[in-house]
Amino acid sequence: QVHLVESGGGLVQAGGSLRLSCAASGRTFSSYTMGWFRQAPGKEREFVAAINWSADNIYYVDSVNGRFTISRDNAKNTVYLQMNSLKPEDTAVFYCAAKLGRPATTMSQYTYWGQGTQVTVSS
């Protein structure tokens, strides 16, 4: 069982930055691939980024590539999403998720989910 808690969301102006954190419970955090997803109002939840246990296999959705960076600290049981050059279209609830095995981009492949943190980017 893995319990995930996101933090770091908030209101930021376009062009600004935020760093999201996802703290995980459980002694086996380092075994899990971690992902970030987001859901904008009226839209389906979409993949943002994923990182495998050893941080040598990382994926991003095209729309955030070059602006967002996913990382993890296995000693702290935490995964991060550094978001730079934020745009109004990045406004969404951001969720972290965990799965065993290789990184994936589809929601159904993730076993555990956090409650989400709101990110609002004003123009």
Side-chain angles (χ1 to χ4, degrees), residues 50-113:
I51 185 169
N52 73 328
W53 71 275
S54 57
D56 58 1
N57 198 358
I58 293 174
Y59 295 93
Y60 297 100
V61 68
D62 287 347
S63 59
V64 308
N65 205 5
R67 299 188 298 124
F68 290 10
T69 302
I70 189 171
S71 62
R72 67 189 295 159
D73 185 338
N74 289 338
K76 295 182 178 180
N77 281 11
T78 302
V79 63
Y80 305 97
L81 186 68
Q82 177 66 45
M83 307 187 294
N84 299 328
S85 303
L86 283 161
K87 304 175 181 180
E89 51 264 43
D90 293 318
T91 295
V93 178
F94 281 71
Y95 300 88
C96 70
K99 69 180 295 292
L100 291 172
R102 300 170 66 180
T105 61
T106 55
M107 287 179 54
S108 61
Q109 295 188 63
Y110 286 80
T111 306
Y112 303 105
W113 290 84

Side-chain angles (χ1 to χ4, degrees), residues 10-21:
L11 173 64
V12 63
Q13 289 188 332
S17 298
L18 282 174
R19 188 176 80 155
L20 305 183
S21 299

